[in-house]
Amino acid sequence: MRIIPRRIELEHLKAPGWKMVYGRRKTGKTFLVKNFLEYDNYFFVNRNGTILDITSGKSLSYEEFRKDFIGRLGKGTIVVDEFHRLPQEFLDLLHAYSPKGELILITSTLWLAMRLLGERESPLLDIVTPVRIGLIDEREILLELSKEFGGKELVGAAVYLREPILVPLYKPPLREFLAKYLHSSGALVAEIVGEAFSEEELRLSEVYLAVLHSIADGKSKSTEIGNYLLSRGLIESPSSVQKYLKVLTAIGLVRKKPIHGKKKRFRYFIASSLLDLHFYLEAKYAYTELETPEEFIRKTVDEKLPRHVEDFIEGFLAKVYGLRPVSVEKPELELDIALEGFKKLEIVGEVKWKNRVRREEIRKIEEKLWKFDCRRVLIVPSVEVLEREPEGIEVLTPEDLVELARESLKRELD
């Protein structure tokens, strides 16, 4: 069984004090806490309001839990999983007893993300430290999978296995695996996202899902997304889409990329490559509702995979070098990778994920990247795919990326 040691998140989880672990479902929150942290009591709140004491195996009413919880505070580490299902009174109780002892709260709902991260009157503000558990860090997944795979298979698998749900299931080849998984489990993927909204009002859930559908369909600017929602009668003005984008970004379903040289302007993307495939297939084929041939899904994987590889490598290099991915809005200078430091570009690059890069392609890459006075990189599956070595451009292969991952994690964790 593959287990990815998520050491960066664990560093935050092991810090002293009260913490709230949040993020959408199936990102490994409960798995990390139960298997990698020491705790004295673990409570899980069922949908019907009863509380299961995992440590003793007893089922408790809220009143029994409340009494037990107060008595145990300060005597060890307590975990309360899906705590948002408890009555509002529990939040007042936390105020009264904070910051006594060690406490870990776990939730998967957008409701709490909004209350904690978006409102000044949040009942948990200044009481807990929020720790978001999202996709697996690019460096960690690449380094761990390098023990099994290499070359194109390594990087391609790392792109999609950032989704923890795929880690124990994966068997190469990648494209065939993804097509079969989505064909058989598309409804499961839909539930992963849908459950993040299950405690919201139905109207809000519809708006959030519409935002995700619009992004997967190629609308990356807030005005484009807002106009799409307005045309469906889901919002009253395009500008009101901002609050939904803020929540989706906070919970980790959406990532935003600043537009280079333009203040407070962004492009929005679905953070997970697997979810991007899912929502694109929904927009194009309604594949979870209508019988969709596996071949249709395979063609979508073929279409989307190169872009997902580019996004993965850009995010990877951003973390390795402590830079910020940005979008360069010049059609003639469209870049696969653009990383910004303090107000200026530090790294630009192209990704050629193919079996042969011709001399003419290399010449065009040189012409484009030479226009930028910064570090220039070209990422390829191996140096053998190049018909000639590019001038003034650093070539990186999967083996180079693995070494960069190893060095970067060592620096961050030491």
Side-chain angles (χ1 to χ4, degrees):
M1 181 179 179
R2 295 188 190 95
I3 295 179
I4 309 299
R6 303 179 68 168
R7 291 162 289 185
I8 296 171
E9 288 101 329
L10 286 172
E11 286 288 309
H12 296 297
L13 289 173
K14 290 177 179 178
W18 286 18
K19 292 169 285 291
M20 189 198 76
V21 183
Y22 74 101
R24 47 148 270 245
R25 296 195 182 278
K26 303 300 182 183
T27 53
K29 300 181 296 297
T30 295
F31 183 83
L32 280 175
V33 173
K34 290 184 74 172
N35 292 279
F36 293 98
L37 297 182
E38 293 183 1
Y39 54 85
D40 299 279
N41 299 96
Y42 195 111
F43 298 99
F44 180 85
V45 186
N46 295 307
R47 292 183 186 276
N48 64 6
T50 60
I51 298 99
L52 180 62
D53 183 344
I54 302 292
T55 314
S56 67
K58 294 180 180 179
S59 182
L60 308 173
S61 67
Y62 175 67
E63 287 305 319
E64 290 171 326
F65 161 76
R66 184 182 185 281
K67 183 178 179 181
D68 199 14
F69 177 82
I70 293 172
R72 293 180 186 277
L73 270 176
K75 299 177 182 177
T77 299
I78 300 175
V79 179
V80 185
D81 200 342
E82 303 290 9
F83 79 98
H84 58 275
R85 295 172 179 167
L86 293 170
Q88 176 70 24
E89 186 268 345
F90 180 67
L91 300 182
D92 298 329
L93 184 150
L94 293 179
H95 267 284
Y97 286 90
S98 67
K100 187 178 180 181
E102 294 291 329
L103 176 65
I104 299 174
L105 305 171
I106 305 176
T107 185
S108 305
T109 65
L110 284 173
W111 168 79
L112 197 58
M114 285 192 291
R115 295 292 300 275
L116 180 70
L117 303 169
E119 299 179 4
R120 290 183 179 179
E121 63 271 23
S122 164
L124 296 181
L125 201 62
D126 300 326
I127 292 178
V128 300
T129 299
V131 179
R132 189 176 81 184
I133 303 298
L135 302 174
I136 299 171
D137 186 282
E138 293 95 335
R139 296 164 295 176
E140 294 231 51
I141 192 68
L142 193 70
L143 191 58
E144 289 302 311
L145 292 183
S146 69
K147 299 171 184 177
E148 297 182 63
F149 312 110
K152 291 178 74 173
E153 189 66 39
L154 165 61
V155 175
V159 169
Y160 296 97
L161 269 62
R162 293 188 68 203
E163 279 285 356
I165 194 173
L166 295 183
V167 170
L169 305 175
Y170 179 66
K171 293 181 181 179
L174 175 66
R175 296 169 194 246
E176 181 180 322
F177 168 79
L178 289 172
K180 287 183 179 298
Y181 178 81
L182 288 166
H183 185 258
S184 63
S185 305
L188 173 62
V189 178
E191 284 183 16
I192 291 173
V193 180
E195 283 187 6
F197 308 97
S198 62
E199 319 245 350
E200 298 290 326
E201 295 177 13
L202 181 61
R203 178 72 171 178
L204 283 178
S205 299
E206 190 177 356
V207 175
Y208 285 125
L209 290 171
V211 171
L212 294 170
H213 277 102
S214 68
I215 294 174
D217 201 28
K219 298 170 181 63
S220 63
K221 293 184 178 180
S222 60
T223 51
E224 298 170 338
I225 300 166
N227 286 328
Y228 172 79
L229 267 62
L230 182 66
S231 70
R232 292 188 53 185
L234 293 172
I235 56 177
E236 295 181 356
S237 69
S239 61
S240 62
V241 75
Q242 291 289 349
K243 60 184 177 183
Y244 302 105
L245 288 168
K246 181 178 180 181
V247 171
L248 288 169
T249 302
I251 199 78
L253 281 168
V254 166
R255 62 183 175 88
K256 66 178 183 179
K257 184 189 291 190
I259 297 175
H260 179 64
K262 297 183 180 180
K263 291 183 178 180
K264 296 183 179 180
R265 291 189 59 189
F266 305 92
R267 287 189 176 275
Y268 294 86
F269 305 89
I270 293 177
S272 161
S273 296
L274 178 68
L275 293 185
D276 188 54
L277 279 175
H278 164 76
F279 281 107
Y280 184 73
L281 284 163
E282 286 286 68
K284 193 169 185 178
Y285 300 119
Y287 86 116
T288 60
E289 299 178 29
L290 304 175
E291 184 63 34
T292 303
E294 191 175 312
E295 184 57 31
F296 285 26
I297 299 174
R298 171 61 185 268
K299 288 179 180 177
T300 299
V301 172
D302 291 341
E303 177 186 346
K304 283 279 194 176
L305 190 144
R307 180 71 252 181
H308 290 161
V309 169
E310 292 166 10
D311 291 342
F312 174 88
I313 293 175
E314 183 179 61
F316 169 84
L317 291 176
K319 288 178 180 172
V320 166
Y321 294 110
L323 299 172
R324 182 173 69 172
V326 294
S327 177
V328 176
E329 288 209 330
K330 294 180 180 179
E332 73 280 6
L333 293 175
E334 185 177 349
L335 295 166
D336 296 340
I337 295 170
L339 300 176
E340 184 181 65
F342 184 67
K343 293 185 178 181
K344 70 171 188 174
L345 292 174
E346 298 287 348
I347 299 176
V348 295
E350 290 288 290
V351 179
K352 290 300 177 184
W353 216 242
K354 55 195 344 185
N355 294 327
R356 179 64 56 192
V357 185
R358 306 286 180 186
R359 290 177 177 274
E360 180 61 21
E361 283 184 278
I362 296 171
R363 183 187 65 77
K364 289 179 179 179
I365 291 169
E366 290 170 337
E367 288 179 356
K368 181 194 291 187
L369 297 187
W370 284 350
K371 290 182 169 71
F372 297 91
D373 184 19
C374 61
R375 183 178 176 184
R376 312 173 192 97
V377 297
L378 172 63
I379 296 89
V380 291
S382 69
V383 292
E384 285 75 21
V385 307
L386 298 170
E387 288 194 348
R388 71 170 175 85
E389 188 174 335
E391 296 181 20
I393 298 171
E394 181 181 353
V395 176
L396 297 175
T397 65
E399 291 75 22
D400 297 318
L401 300 181
V402 170
E403 190 54 38
L404 286 172
R406 182 177 290 108
E407 293 171 357
S408 177
L409 285 172
K410 187 176 186 303
R411 286 195 305 270
E412 187 159 339
L413 294 170
D414 280 351

